[in-house]
């Protein structure tokens, strides 16, 4: 039979354990233990909750033209009233036309301290639920879940619950993993960059890695030239110390590189001014895959979810694949026989119509016309 003293000590120990558990629970669920910042460039359905904090990227220069256009006073006022900006404290907000969402990442690094931290974009999220009901759109090199913008307009518990973007779903992943990221776009990242952007920018970034982080240089080359691709859109959730280490590394490359290239970048078109943003996706991939291979970083990949009114797939023909000797691209069928490149919707769009003998005519927005012949399923090849 236990003595009264033993019972007393057991009771005290139990009470202490209960108190510690209560304090731990209070710490996690009643403070900013987890904060995911959602990056905005323009007014859009507001995503804001206990763990989601909207942030405007480029607030310092919001009244100047961008690829999103020039905002009205009303639009700027809405952004100011509904979210924080990236132009307070330590910041690089004025570099947004080249860095895009990365100016928000810099602000998060310098001005917040949540133990767990993440960054999404107002139309792009991680989908943690394998059984989410939003449908997959699949391409040879990637897949994503497609959400209509209507889902964001009523952004609430059903949306969060279906993608498992709630604290009770997110935090348990960190018992077995260190960072949650989007599935990669699987292709040769170096050749894709060479095709879509200025390859001299990527070569210059690699040269900085060679000078500052020589132990990573060979790995970076191998990674970029493999078929493993890169993680798109800088989507992640991770521990604070991992973000801090990554951000210090990233900006030790991007900031001196921008200083070196800024005059050249200023002369480019709006899309190619975003050099630092495009480079950041490749650098993100190099850094975390290096840490995974050499330092045991535990990475968990998830499909990303895209919320968009960009297209409503027609029954049986959700997209058209156009092939030429120089390129192959996927064009999303919008409405009124209009298509836009899934990969580059800012410059590669046009009107299409079907012609006799299984031919397809595209009148591009730049005034040129192309003729394609049906090849297989929804694929068309350029006529010689």
């Amino acid at each position: 039979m236990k003595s009264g003293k033993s019972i007393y000590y057991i009771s005290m120990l139990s009470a202490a354990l209960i108190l510690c558990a209560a304090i731990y629970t209070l710490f996690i669920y009643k403070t900013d233990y987890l904060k995911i910042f959602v990056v905005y460039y323009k007014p859009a359905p507001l995503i804001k909750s206990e763990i989601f904090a909207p942030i405007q990227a480029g607030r310092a220069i919001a009244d100047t033209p961008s690829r999103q256009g020039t905002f009205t006073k009303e639009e700027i006022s809405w952004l100011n009233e509904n979210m924080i900006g990236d132009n307070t404290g330590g910041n690089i907000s004025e570099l947004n036309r080249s860095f895009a969402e990365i100016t928000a990442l810099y602000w998060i690094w310098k001005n917040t301290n949540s133990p767990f931290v993440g960054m999404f974009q107002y139309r792009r999220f991680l989908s943690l639920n394998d059984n989410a009901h939003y449908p997959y759109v699949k391409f040879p090199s990637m897949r994503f879940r497609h959400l209509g913008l209507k889902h964001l307009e009523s952004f609430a518990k059903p949306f969060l619950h279906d993608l498992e973007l709630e604290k009770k779903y997110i935090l348990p992943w960190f018992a077995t993993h260190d960072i949650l990221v989007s599935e990669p776009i699987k292709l040769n990242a170096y050749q894709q960059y060479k095709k879509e952007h200025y390859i001299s920018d990527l070569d210059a970034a690699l040269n900085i890695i060679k000078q500052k982080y020589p132990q990573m240089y060979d790995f970076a080359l191998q990674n970029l030239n493999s078929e493993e691709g890169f993680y798109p859109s800088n989507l992640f959730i991770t521990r604070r110390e991992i973000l801090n280490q990554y951000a210090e590394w990233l900006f030790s490359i991007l900031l001196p590189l921008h200083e070196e290239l800024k005059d050249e970048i200023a002369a480019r078109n709006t899309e190619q001014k975003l050099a630092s943003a495009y480079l950041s996706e490749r650098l993100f991939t190099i850094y975390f895959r290096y840490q995974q291979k050499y330092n045991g970083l535990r990475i968990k990949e998830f499909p990303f979810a895209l919320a968009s009114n960009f297209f409503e797939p027609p029954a049986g023909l959700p997209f058209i694949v156009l092939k030429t000797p120089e390129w192959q691209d996927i064009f999303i069928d919008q409405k009124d026989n209009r298509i836009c490149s899934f990969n580059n919707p800012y410059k590669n769009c046009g009107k299409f119509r079907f012609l006799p003998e299984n031919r397809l005519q595209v009148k591009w927005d730049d005034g040129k016309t192309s003729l394609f012949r049906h090849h297989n399923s929804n694929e068309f090849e350029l006529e010689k």
Side-chain angles (χ1 to χ4, degrees):
M1 187 173 179
K2 294 181 180 179
S3 67
K5 185 176 291 188
S6 297
I7 295 173
Y8 172 78
Y9 284 127
I10 291 172
S11 299
M12 291 296 291
L13 179 60
S14 298
L17 290 173
I18 292 171
L19 179 60
C20 288
I23 293 172
Y24 178 74
T25 301
L26 183 66
F27 179 66
I28 291 178
Y29 289 98
K30 298 300 181 181
T31 70
D32 289 342
Y33 191 76
L34 166 66
K35 188 65 68 176
I36 301 173
F37 294 87
V38 185
V39 181
Y40 282 74
Y41 312 98
K42 63 180 181 179
L46 188 64
I47 300 166
K48 193 172 187 177
S49 73
E50 177 194 5
I51 65 171
F52 287 101
I55 178 171
Q56 181 188 0
R59 177 168 287 183
I61 51 174
D63 58 351
T64 65
S66 72
R67 72 173 181 176
Q68 306 290 342
T70 302
F71 301 137
T72 65
K73 291 182 179 180
E74 290 75 18
E75 289 172 325
I76 292 175
S77 177
W78 185 90
L79 290 164
N80 289 339
E81 292 171 3
N82 284 284
M83 61 192 68
I84 56 179
D86 66 348
N87 62 334
T88 62
N91 75 88
I92 55 170
S93 182
E94 73 282 355
L95 300 182
N96 180 260
R97 299 298 179 259
S98 179
F99 282 68
E101 70 272 9
I102 302 304
T103 62
L105 178 65
Y106 187 95
W107 187 91
I108 295 165
W109 172 40
K110 291 292 188 180
N111 299 281
T112 69
N113 58 11
S114 302
F116 289 87
V117 62
M119 189 173 79
F120 292 170
Q121 297 182 32
Y122 72 99
R123 296 191 305 120
R124 294 180 176 88
F125 319 87
L126 296 181
S127 175
L128 276 57
N129 183 7
D130 285 340
N131 299 311
H133 79 270
Y134 298 106
Y136 276 125
V137 177
K138 297 182 180 180
F139 300 104
S141 61
M142 67 178 297
R143 64 175 182 164
F144 63 90
R145 291 193 183 277
H146 178 253
L147 295 63
L149 278 182
K150 62 185 178 182
H151 296 104
L152 298 190
E153 291 168 358
S154 58
F155 182 79
K157 289 183 179 179
F159 173 86
L160 291 169
H161 183 75
D162 191 61
L163 296 184
E164 294 190 350
L165 294 176
E166 296 174 321
K167 193 179 292 186
K168 65 181 180 181
Y169 297 121
I170 295 170
L171 289 176
W173 282 107
F174 291 97
T176 53
H177 296 85
D178 300 307
I179 184 169
L180 315 183
V181 301
S182 60
E183 291 179 346
I185 299 176
K186 291 203 170 184
L187 40 66
N188 185 304
Y190 188 87
Q191 293 302 321
Q192 186 269 348
Y193 202 94
K194 185 175 183 180
K195 175 183 171 183
E196 299 290 340
H197 310 292
Y198 287 81
I199 194 61
S200 57
D201 296 349
L202 184 52
D203 288 338
L206 287 167
N207 189 51
I208 293 177
I209 291 175
K210 188 176 183 179
Q211 293 173 9
K212 291 188 173 183
Y213 308 99
Q215 74 280 10
M216 299 180 70
Y217 178 70
D218 288 341
F219 177 86
L221 287 178
Q222 179 183 359
N223 179 259
L224 288 170
N225 285 286
S226 73
E227 296 301 317
E228 292 303 308
F230 63 94
Y231 297 127
S233 301
N234 295 296
L235 308 177
F236 70 88
I237 308 172
T238 192
R239 293 186 174 87
R240 167 63 55 175
E241 63 271 18
I242 292 174
L243 169 67
N244 289 347
Q245 291 163 6
Y246 165 62
E248 184 173 357
W249 179 88
L250 176 69
F251 290 107
S252 75
I253 298 169
L254 286 184
L255 289 175
L257 181 61
H258 178 77
E259 188 64 25
E260 176 186 336
L261 300 178
K262 64 181 181 181
D263 292 337
E264 179 183 339
I265 290 173
R268 297 177 185 174
N269 64 35
T270 303
E271 186 69 18
Q272 296 303 334
K273 279 185 170 71
L274 290 166
S276 295
Y278 290 127
L279 288 170
S280 70
E281 294 175 305
R282 283 74 183 175
L283 294 174
F284 180 99
T285 307
I286 289 168
Y287 179 85
F288 285 113
R289 285 188 174 155
Y290 179 89
Q291 297 301 329
Q292 180 184 44
K293 182 173 182 178
Y294 293 103
N295 295 312
L297 186 79
R298 300 169 299 174
I299 298 176
K300 177 62 178 177
E301 298 174 356
F302 293 96
F304 74 86
L306 173 67
S308 174
N309 60 359
F310 185 51
F311 74 99
E312 291 293 336
L317 190 65
F319 55 85
I320 295 172
V321 179
L322 300 184
K323 298 181 176 181
T324 80
E326 291 78 30
W327 53 261
Q328 172 179 324
D329 206 348
I330 295 166
F331 288 81
I332 303 302
D333 187 2
Q334 297 181 300
K335 59 182 181 178
D336 300 325
N337 290 344
R338 181 169 174 79
I339 56 173
C340 277
S341 162
F342 174 77
N343 293 311
N344 203 338
Y346 297 100
K347 69 175 184 180
N348 212 0
C349 299
K351 297 270 288 187
F352 75 93
R353 67 188 182 101
F354 291 102
L355 302 176
E357 300 180 347
N358 293 321
R359 300 164 77 215
L360 176 72
Q361 180 190 71
V362 180
K363 290 187 176 181
W364 303 106
D365 288 351
D366 64 5
K368 298 178 182 178
T369 299
S370 300
L371 288 174
F372 296 83
R373 187 173 296 276
H374 183 249
H375 171 64
N376 179 39
S377 183
N378 55 341
E379 297 179 359
F380 293 81
E381 291 186 341
L382 184 69
E383 287 193 346
K384 297 181 180 178

